[in-house]
Coordinates of all heavy atoms in Angstrom, one line a residue:
G226 N 11.1 10.7 -6.4 CA 11.4 12.0 -6.9 C 12.7 12.6 -6.2 O 13.2 11.9 -5.2
A227 N 13.2 13.6 -6.7 CA 14.4 14.1 -6.2 C 14.2 15.1 -5.0 O 15.1 15.5 -4.3 CB 15.1 15.0 -7.3
G228 N 12.9 15.4 -4.8 CA 12.6 16.4 -3.6 C 12.5 17.7 -4.2 O 12.6 18.0 -5.3
P229 N 12.3 18.7 -3.3 CA 12.2 18.6 -1.8 C 10.9 17.8 -1.4 O 10.0 17.9 -2.2 CB 12.2 20.0 -1.3 CG 11.6 20.8 -2.5 CD 12.0 20.1 -3.7
F230 N 11.0 17.2 -0.3 CA 9.9 16.5 0.3 C 9.2 17.2 1.4 O 9.8 18.1 2.0 CB 10.3 15.1 0.8 CG 11.0 14.3 -0.3 CD1 12.5 14.2 -0.2 CD2 10.5 13.8 -1.3 CE1 13.2 13.5 -1.1 CE2 11.0 13.0 -2.3 CZ 12.4 12.8 -2.1
T231 N 7.9 17.0 1.5 CA 7.0 17.6 2.6 C 6.4 16.4 3.4 O 6.2 15.3 2.8 CB 6.0 18.4 2.1 OG1 5.1 17.6 1.2 CG2 6.4 19.6 1.3
L232 N 6.2 16.7 4.7 CA 5.7 15.6 5.6 C 4.3 16.3 6.0 O 4.4 17.4 6.5 CB 6.5 15.3 6.8 CG 7.8 14.5 6.5 CD1 8.5 14.4 7.8 CD2 7.4 13.1 6.0
T233 N 3.3 15.6 5.8 CA 1.9 16.1 6.3 C 1.3 15.0 7.1 O 1.0 13.9 6.6 CB 1.0 16.6 5.1 OG1 1.7 17.5 4.4 CG2 -0.2 17.1 5.6
S234 N 0.9 15.3 8.4 CA 0.2 14.4 9.3 C -1.3 14.8 9.3 O -1.6 16.0 9.3 CB 0.7 14.3 10.6 OG 2.0 13.7 10.5
G235 N -2.3 13.9 9.4 CA -3.6 14.3 9.6 C -4.5 13.0 9.4 O -3.9 11.9 9.7
T236 N -5.7 13.2 9.3 CA -6.7 12.1 9.1 C -7.3 12.0 7.6 O -7.6 13.1 7.2 CB -7.9 12.3 10.1 OG1 -8.5 13.4 10.0 CG2 -7.3 12.1 11.6
V237 N -7.6 10.8 7.3 CA -8.2 10.7 5.9 C -9.6 11.2 5.8 O -10.4 11.0 6.7 CB -8.1 9.2 5.6 CG1 -9.0 9.0 4.3 CG2 -6.9 8.6 5.6
V238 N -9.8 12.0 4.8 CA -11.1 12.6 4.5 C -11.7 11.9 3.3 O -12.9 11.6 3.3 CB -11.0 14.1 4.2 CG1 -12.4 14.8 3.8 CG2 -10.5 14.9 5.4
N239 N -10.9 11.5 2.4 CA -11.4 10.9 1.2 C -10.3 10.1 0.5 O -9.1 10.6 0.4 CB -12.0 11.8 0.1 CG -12.6 11.1 -1.0 OD1 -13.5 10.3 -0.8 ND2 -12.4 11.6 -2.1
F240 N -10.6 8.9 0.0 CA -9.6 8.2 -0.8 C -10.3 7.7 -2.0 O -11.4 7.1 -1.9 CB -9.1 7.0 0.0 CG -8.1 6.0 -0.8 CD1 -6.9 6.4 -1.2 CD2 -8.7 4.8 -1.1 CE1 -6.1 5.6 -2.0 CE2 -7.8 3.9 -1.8 CZ -6.7 4.3 -2.3
S241 N -9.7 7.9 -3.1 CA -10.3 7.4 -4.5 C -9.2 6.6 -5.2 O -8.2 7.1 -5.7 CB -10.7 8.6 -5.4 OG -11.1 8.1 -6.7
N242 N -9.4 5.3 -5.2 CA -8.5 4.5 -5.9 C -8.5 4.6 -7.4 O -7.5 4.6 -8.1 CB -8.7 3.0 -5.5 CG -7.6 2.0 -5.8 OD1 -6.4 2.5 -5.8 ND2 -7.9 0.9 -6.2
G243 N -9.7 4.8 -7.9 CA -9.9 5.2 -9.3 C -9.2 6.3 -9.8 O -8.6 6.4 -10.8
E244 N -9.4 7.5 -9.1 CA -8.7 8.7 -9.4 C -7.4 8.8 -8.9 O -6.6 9.7 -9.2 CB -9.6 9.9 -8.9 CG -10.9 10.0 -9.5 CD -11.8 11.2 -9.0 OE1 -11.2 12.1 -8.3 OE2 -13.0 11.3 -9.2
R245 N -6.9 7.9 -8.0 CA -5.6 7.8 -7.5 C -5.3 9.1 -6.7 O -4.3 9.8 -6.9 CB -4.6 7.5 -8.4 CG -4.8 6.1 -9.1 CD -3.8 5.8 -10.1 NE -2.5 6.1 -9.8 CZ -1.4 5.8 -10.5 NH1 -1.5 5.2 -11.7 NH2 -0.2 6.2 -10.2
T246 N -6.3 9.5 -5.8 CA -6.0 10.7 -4.9 C -6.3 10.3 -3.4 O -7.1 9.4 -3.1 CB -6.9 11.9 -5.3 OG1 -8.4 11.5 -5.3 CG2 -6.6 12.3 -6.8
L247 N -5.8 11.0 -2.5 CA -6.0 10.9 -1.1 C -6.2 12.3 -0.6 O -5.2 13.2 -0.8 CB -4.7 10.2 -0.4 CG -4.8 10.1 1.1 CD1 -5.9 9.2 1.6 CD2 -3.5 9.8 1.7
S248 N -7.1 12.6 0.1 CA -7.4 13.8 0.8 C -7.3 13.6 2.3 O -8.0 12.7 2.9 CB -8.7 14.5 0.5 OG -8.8 14.8 -0.9
I249 N -6.6 14.4 3.0 CA -6.5 14.5 4.5 C -6.7 15.8 5.0 O -6.5 16.7 4.4 CB -5.1 13.8 5.0 CG1 -3.9 14.8 4.6 CG2 -4.9 12.5 4.3 CD1 -2.6 14.3 5.3
K250 N -7.1 15.8 6.3 CA -7.3 17.1 7.0 C -6.1 17.1 8.0 O -5.9 16.2 8.8 CB -8.6 17.1 7.8 CG -8.9 18.3 8.5 CD -10.2 18.3 9.4 CE -11.4 18.3 8.5 NZ -12.7 18.4 9.2
D251 N -5.3 18.1 7.7 CA -4.1 18.2 8.6 C -4.4 18.7 10.0 O -5.6 18.9 10.4 CB -3.0 19.0 7.9 CG -3.3 20.4 7.9 OD1 -4.1 21.0 8.5 OD2 -2.5 21.2 7.0
N252 N -3.4 18.8 10.8 CA -3.6 19.2 12.2 C -4.1 20.7 12.4 O -4.6 21.0 13.4 CB -2.2 19.0 13.0 CG -1.8 17.6 13.1 OD1 -2.6 16.7 13.0 ND2 -0.6 17.3 13.2
S253 N -3.9 21.5 11.3 CA -4.6 22.8 11.5 C -5.9 22.8 10.7 O -6.4 23.9 10.5 CB -3.6 23.8 10.8 OG -3.4 23.5 9.5
R254 N -6.5 21.6 10.5 CA -7.8 21.4 9.9 C -8.0 22.0 8.5 O -9.0 22.1 8.0 CB -9.0 22.1 10.9 CG -8.8 21.7 12.3 CD -9.9 22.1 13.2 NE -11.3 21.7 12.8 CZ -11.7 20.5 13.0 NH1 -11.1 19.6 13.6 NH2 -13.0 20.2 12.6
V255 N -6.9 21.9 7.8 CA -6.8 22.3 6.3 C -6.9 21.0 5.6 O -6.1 20.0 5.9 CB -5.6 23.1 6.0 CG1 -5.5 23.2 4.5 CG2 -5.6 24.5 6.7
I256 N -7.8 20.8 4.6 CA -7.8 19.7 3.8 C -6.8 19.7 2.7 O -6.7 20.7 1.9 CB -9.2 19.4 3.2 CG1 -10.1 19.2 4.3 CG2 -9.2 18.3 2.2 CD1 -11.6 19.1 4.0
K257 N -5.9 18.8 2.6 CA -4.9 18.7 1.4 C -5.1 17.4 0.7 O -5.4 16.4 1.2 CB -3.5 18.7 2.0 CG -3.2 20.0 2.8 CD -1.9 19.9 3.4 CE -1.6 21.3 4.2 NZ -0.3 21.4 4.6
T258 N -5.0 17.5 -0.6 CA -5.2 16.4 -1.6 C -4.0 16.1 -2.3 O -3.2 17.0 -2.7 CB -6.4 16.7 -2.6 OG1 -7.6 17.0 -1.9 CG2 -6.5 15.5 -3.6
F259 N -3.6 14.8 -2.3 CA -2.4 14.3 -3.0 C -2.7 13.2 -4.1 O -3.6 12.5 -3.9 CB -1.5 13.5 -1.9 CG -1.2 14.3 -0.7 CD1 -2.0 14.4 0.4 CD2 0.0 15.1 -0.7 CE1 -1.6 15.2 1.5 CE2 0.4 15.9 0.4 CZ -0.4 15.9 1.5
N260 N -2.1 13.4 -5.1 CA -2.0 12.4 -6.1 C -1.3 11.1 -5.6 O -0.3 11.3 -4.8 CB -1.4 12.8 -7.5 CG -2.2 13.8 -8.1 OD1 -3.4 13.9 -8.0 ND2 -1.6 14.8 -8.9
I261 N -1.7 10.0 -6.1 CA -1.0 8.8 -5.5 C 0.0 8.3 -6.6 O -0.4 8.1 -7.8 CB -2.0 7.7 -5.3 CG1 -3.0 8.0 -4.2 CG2 -1.3 6.3 -4.8 CD1 -2.6 8.2 -2.9
S262 N 1.2 8.3 -6.2 CA 2.4 7.9 -7.1 C 2.2 6.4 -7.4 O 1.7 5.6 -6.6 CB 3.7 8.0 -6.4 OG 4.6 7.3 -7.1
S263 N 2.5 6.0 -8.7 CA 2.5 4.6 -9.1 C 3.5 3.7 -8.2 O 3.4 2.6 -8.2 CB 2.7 4.5 -10.6 OG 3.9 5.1 -10.9
D264 N 4.6 4.5 -7.7 CA 5.5 3.8 -6.9 C 5.3 4.0 -5.4 O 6.2 3.7 -4.5 CB 6.9 4.5 -7.2 CG 7.2 4.2 -8.7 OD1 6.9 3.2 -9.3 OD2 8.0 5.1 -9.3
L265 N 4.0 4.3 -5.1 CA 3.7 4.6 -3.6 C 4.1 3.4 -2.7 O 3.7 2.2 -3.1 CB 2.3 4.9 -3.4 CG 1.7 5.1 -2.0 CD1 2.2 6.4 -1.4 CD2 0.3 5.0 -2.1
V266 N 4.7 3.7 -1.6 CA 4.9 2.6 -0.6 C 4.1 3.1 0.6 O 4.0 4.2 1.1 CB 6.4 2.5 -0.2 CG1 6.6 1.5 1.0 CG2 7.3 2.1 -1.5
V267 N 3.4 2.1 1.2 CA 2.6 2.3 2.5 C 3.2 1.4 3.6 O 3.4 0.3 3.4 CB 1.1 2.0 2.2 CG1 0.3 2.2 3.4 CG2 0.6 2.8 0.9
E268 N 3.3 2.0 4.7 CA 3.6 1.4 6.0 C 2.4 1.2 6.9 O 1.8 2.1 7.2 CB 4.7 2.0 6.7 CG 5.2 1.1 7.9 CD 6.5 1.7 8.6 OE1 6.7 2.9 8.3 OE2 7.0 1.1 9.4
T269 N 2.1 -0.1 7.1 CA 1.0 -0.5 7.9 C 1.4 -1.4 9.1 O 2.6 -1.7 9.2 CB -0.1 -1.2 7.1 OG1 0.3 -2.5 6.8 CG2 -0.6 -0.4 5.8
S270 N 0.5 -1.8 9.9 CA 0.8 -2.6 11.0 C 1.3 -4.0 10.6 O 1.9 -4.8 11.3 CB -0.5 -2.8 11.9 OG -1.6 -3.3 11.3
T271 N 1.0 -4.3 9.3 CA 1.5 -5.6 8.7 C 2.8 -5.5 8.0 O 3.3 -6.5 7.4 CB 0.4 -6.3 7.9 OG1 0.1 -5.4 6.8 CG2 -0.9 -6.6 8.7
G272 N 3.4 -4.3 7.9 CA 4.6 -4.0 7.3 C 4.4 -3.1 6.1 O 3.4 -2.6 5.9
A273 N 5.5 -3.0 5.4 CA 5.5 -2.0 4.2 C 5.1 -2.8 3.0 O 5.4 -3.9 2.8 CB 6.8 -1.4 4.0
G274 N 4.3 -2.0 2.1 CA 3.8 -2.8 0.9 C 3.5 -1.7 -0.2 O 3.7 -0.6 -0.1
E275 N 3.0 -2.3 -1.3 CA 2.6 -1.4 -2.5 C 1.3 -0.8 -2.3 O 0.5 -1.3 -1.4 CB 2.6 -2.3 -3.7 CG 4.0 -2.8 -4.0 CD 3.8 -3.9 -5.2 OE1 2.8 -4.1 -5.7 OE2 4.9 -4.3 -5.7
R276 N 1.0 0.2 -3.2 CA -0.2 0.9 -2.9 C -1.5 0.1 -3.2 O -2.6 0.4 -2.8 CB -0.3 2.1 -3.9 CG -0.4 1.7 -5.4 CD -0.5 2.9 -6.3 NE -0.5 2.5 -7.6 CZ -1.6 2.1 -8.3 NH1 -2.7 2.1 -7.7 NH2 -1.5 1.8 -9.6
T277 N -1.4 -1.0 -3.9 CA -2.5 -1.8 -4.2 C -3.2 -2.4 -3.0 O -4.3 -2.7 -3.0 CB -2.1 -3.1 -5.1 OG1 -1.0 -3.9 -4.5 CG2 -1.6 -2.5 -6.5
R278 N -2.6 -2.5 -1.9 CA -3.2 -3.0 -0.7 C -3.7 -1.8 0.3 O -4.1 -2.1 1.3 CB -2.1 -3.8 0.1 CG -1.7 -5.1 -0.6 CD -0.8 -5.8 0.2 NE -0.4 -6.9 -0.8 CZ 0.0 -8.2 -0.4 NH1 -0.2 -8.5 0.9 NH2 0.2 -9.1 -1.2
F279 N -3.4 -0.6 -0.1 CA -3.8 0.6 0.7 C -5.3 0.9 0.5 O -5.8 1.2 -0.5 CB -3.0 1.8 0.2 CG -3.2 3.0 1.0 CD1 -3.1 3.0 2.4 CD2 -3.5 4.2 0.4 CE1 -3.2 4.2 3.2 CE2 -3.6 5.3 1.0 CZ -3.6 5.4 2.4
R280 N -6.1 0.7 1.6 CA -7.5 0.9 1.6 C -7.9 1.8 2.8 O -8.5 1.2 3.7 CB -8.2 -0.3 1.5 CG -8.1 -1.2 0.3 CD -8.6 -0.5 -1.0 NE -8.6 -1.4 -2.2 CZ -7.7 -1.3 -3.1 NH1 -6.7 -0.4 -2.9 NH2 -7.6 -2.1 -4.2
P281 N -7.5 3.0 2.8 CA -7.8 3.7 4.1 C -9.3 4.1 4.2 O -10.0 4.2 3.1 CB -7.0 5.0 3.9 CG -6.9 5.2 2.4 CD -6.9 3.7 1.9
V282 N -9.8 4.4 5.3 CA -11.2 4.8 5.5 C -11.2 6.3 6.2 O -10.2 6.6 6.9 CB -12.0 3.8 6.3 CG1 -12.1 2.5 5.6 CG2 -11.5 3.5 7.6
K283 N -12.3 6.9 6.1 CA -12.4 8.3 6.7 C -12.0 8.2 8.2 O -12.6 7.3 8.8 CB -13.8 8.7 6.5 CG -13.9 10.2 6.8 CD -15.3 10.7 6.5 CE -15.5 12.2 6.9 NZ -16.8 12.7 6.4
G284 N -11.1 9.1 8.6 CA -10.8 9.2 9.9 C -9.5 8.5 10.3 O -9.0 8.7 11.4
D285 N -8.9 7.6 9.5 CA -7.8 6.9 9.7 C -6.5 8.0 9.8 O -6.4 8.9 8.9 CB -7.3 6.0 8.5 CG -8.1 4.7 8.5 OD1 -8.8 4.4 9.6 OD2 -7.9 3.9 7.6
P286 N -5.7 7.8 10.9 CA -4.6 8.7 10.9 C -3.5 8.3 9.9 O -3.2 7.1 9.8 CB -4.1 8.6 12.3 CG -4.5 7.2 12.8 CD -5.8 7.0 12.0
V287 N -2.9 9.3 9.3 CA -1.8 9.0 8.3 C -0.7 10.1 8.3 O -1.0 11.2 8.8 CB -2.3 8.9 6.9 CG1 -3.2 7.6 6.7 CG2 -3.0 10.1 6.4
R288 N 0.5 9.7 7.8 CA 1.5 10.7 7.6 C 2.0 10.6 6.1 O 2.3 9.5 5.8 CB 2.7 10.6 8.6 CG 3.8 11.8 8.3 CD 4.8 11.8 9.4 NE 5.5 10.5 9.5 CZ 5.8 9.8 10.6 NH1 5.6 10.5 11.8 NH2 6.4 8.8 10.6
V289 N 1.9 11.6 5.3 CA 2.2 11.5 4.0 C 3.5 12.2 3.7 O 3.7 13.4 4.0 CB 1.1 12.2 3.2 CG1 1.4 12.2 1.6 CG2 -0.3 11.6 3.4
T290 N 4.4 11.6 3.0 CA 5.6 12.1 2.4 C 5.4 12.4 1.0 O 5.0 11.4 0.2 CB 6.8 11.2 2.6 OG1 7.0 10.9 4.0 CG2 8.1 11.8 2.1
A291 N 5.5 13.6 0.5 CA 5.1 14.0 -0.9 C 6.1 14.9 -1.5 O 7.1 15.4 -0.8 CB 3.7 14.7 -0.8
T292 N 6.1 15.0 -2.7 CA 6.8 15.9 -3.6 C 5.9 16.6 -4.6 O 4.9 15.9 -4.9 CB 8.0 15.3 -4.1 OG1 8.9 16.2 -4.6 CG2 7.8 14.2 -5.2
M293 N 6.4 17.5 -5.3 CA 5.6 18.1 -6.3 C 6.0 17.5 -7.6 O 7.2 17.4 -8.0 CB 5.9 19.7 -6.4 CG 5.4 20.4 -5.2 SD 3.6 20.3 -5.0 CE 3.1 21.5 -6.1
V294 N 5.0 17.0 -8.4 CA 5.2 16.4 -9.7 C 4.3 17.1 -10.7 O 3.1 17.0 -10.5 CB 4.9 14.9 -9.6 CG1 5.1 14.3 -11.1 CG2 5.9 14.1 -8.7
N295 N 4.8 17.7 -11.6 CA 4.0 18.6 -12.7 C 3.0 19.4 -12.0 O 1.9 19.6 -12.3 CB 3.3 17.5 -13.7 CG 4.2 16.8 -14.4 OD1 5.3 17.1 -14.8 ND2 3.9 15.4 -14.6
G296 N 3.5 20.1 -10.9 CA 2.6 21.1 -10.2 C 1.7 20.6 -9.3 O 0.8 21.3 -8.7
S297 N 1.7 19.3 -9.0 CA 0.7 18.7 -8.1 C 1.4 17.9 -7.0 O 2.4 17.3 -7.2 CB -0.4 17.7 -8.8 OG -1.0 18.3 -9.8
A298 N 0.9 18.0 -5.7 CA 1.5 17.3 -4.6 C 1.2 15.8 -4.9 O 0.0 15.4 -5.1 CB 0.8 17.7 -3.2
T299 N 2.3 15.0 -4.8 CA 2.1 13.6 -5.1 C 2.7 12.8 -3.9 O 3.9 13.0 -3.6 CB 2.9 13.2 -6.5 OG1 2.4 14.1 -7.4 CG2 2.8 11.8 -6.7
A300 N 1.9 11.9 -3.4 CA 2.3 11.0 -2.3 C 3.3 10.0 -2.7 O 3.1 9.2 -3.7 CB 1.2 10.4 -1.6
L301 N 4.4 9.9 -2.1 CA 5.4 8.8 -2.5 C 5.4 7.7 -1.3 O 5.8 6.6 -1.6 CB 6.9 9.4 -2.4 CG 7.0 10.6 -3.4 CD1 8.4 11.2 -3.3 CD2 6.7 10.1 -4.8
F302 N 5.1 8.2 -0.1 CA 5.2 7.2 1.1 C 4.1 7.7 2.1 O 3.9 8.8 2.4 CB 6.5 7.4 1.7 CG 6.7 6.4 3.0 CD1 6.9 5.0 2.9 CD2 6.5 6.9 4.3 CE1 7.0 4.2 3.9 CE2 6.6 6.1 5.4 CZ 6.9 4.7 5.2
I303 N 3.3 6.6 2.5 CA 2.3 6.9 3.5 C 2.5 6.0 4.7 O 2.6 4.8 4.6 CB 0.8 6.6 2.9 CG1 0.7 7.7 1.9 CG2 -0.2 6.9 4.0 CD1 -0.7 7.5 1.1
N304 N 2.6 6.6 5.9 CA 2.6 5.8 7.1 C 1.2 5.9 7.8 O 0.8 6.9 8.1 CB 3.8 6.5 8.1 CG 4.0 5.7 9.3 OD1 3.2 5.1 9.8 ND2 5.3 5.8 9.7
T305 N 0.7 4.6 8.0 CA -0.6 4.5 8.8 C -0.4 4.3 10.3 O -1.4 4.1 10.9 CB -1.4 3.5 8.1 OG1 -0.8 2.2 8.4 CG2 -1.6 3.7 6.6
L306 N 0.8 4.3 10.7 CA 1.1 3.9 12.1 C 1.1 5.1 13.0 O 1.4 4.9 14.2 CB 2.4 3.2 12.2 CG 2.5 1.8 11.4 CD1 3.9 1.3 11.5 CD2 1.4 0.8 11.8
V307 N 0.9 6.3 12.4 CA 1.1 7.5 13.3 C -0.2 7.7 14.1 O -1.2 7.5 13.6 CB 1.4 8.7 12.5 CG1 2.9 8.5 11.9 CG2 0.5 9.0 11.3
A308 N 0.0 8.4 15.2 CA -1.2 8.9 15.9 C -1.1 10.4 16.0 O 0.1 11.0 16.1 CB -1.2 8.4 17.3
N309 N -2.2 11.1 15.7 CA -2.1 12.5 15.5 C -2.1 13.2 16.9 O -2.7 13.3 17.7 CB -3.3 13.0 14.6 CG -3.1 12.8 13.3 OD1 -2.0 12.7 12.8 ND2 -4.2 12.3 12.6

């Protein structure tokens, strides 16, 4: 997307591969839900890859780079290497 972009750090609350959504609890304890972009890139301890290999579990720390697409926050990049 063209931006503007937002960065949100927190822990995974829910991940739905079927619905293509990720919900995280941010550092202020607010739950935020993101749609998963078909072009999502995820950085993990084994390197960067496509969304198809992204299988987070509740409590995993993440940092989400997102933008608004059709009125919904949509994740473009997820970093799983961050510590909150």
Side-chain angles (χ1 to χ4, degrees):
F230 302 105
T231 60
L232 291 175
T233 305
S234 294
T236 56
V237 173
V238 174
N239 186 48
F240 172 70
S241 174
N242 197 34
E244 294 180 18
R245 295 175 49 173
T246 60
L247 172 71
S248 296
I249 67 171
K250 186 182 292 185
D251 71 13
N252 295 333
S253 60
R254 307 188 58 80
V255 173
I256 295 176
K257 298 182 179 182
T258 300
F259 301 91
N260 291 328
I261 302 294
S262 166
S263 60
D264 298 328
L265 177 73
V266 174
V267 180
E268 185 173 10
T269 68
S270 61
T271 59
E275 299 174 353
R276 70 176 176 86
T277 55
R278 297 180 186 214
F279 182 55
R280 298 287 185 264
V282 296
K283 187 174 182 176
D285 282 354
V287 294
R288 182 173 58 224
V289 178
T290 302
T292 192
M293 296 300 282
V294 176
N295 297 324
S297 297
T299 301
L301 304 173
F302 180 77
I303 297 175
N304 183 326
T305 65
L306 303 176
V307 297
N309 289 323

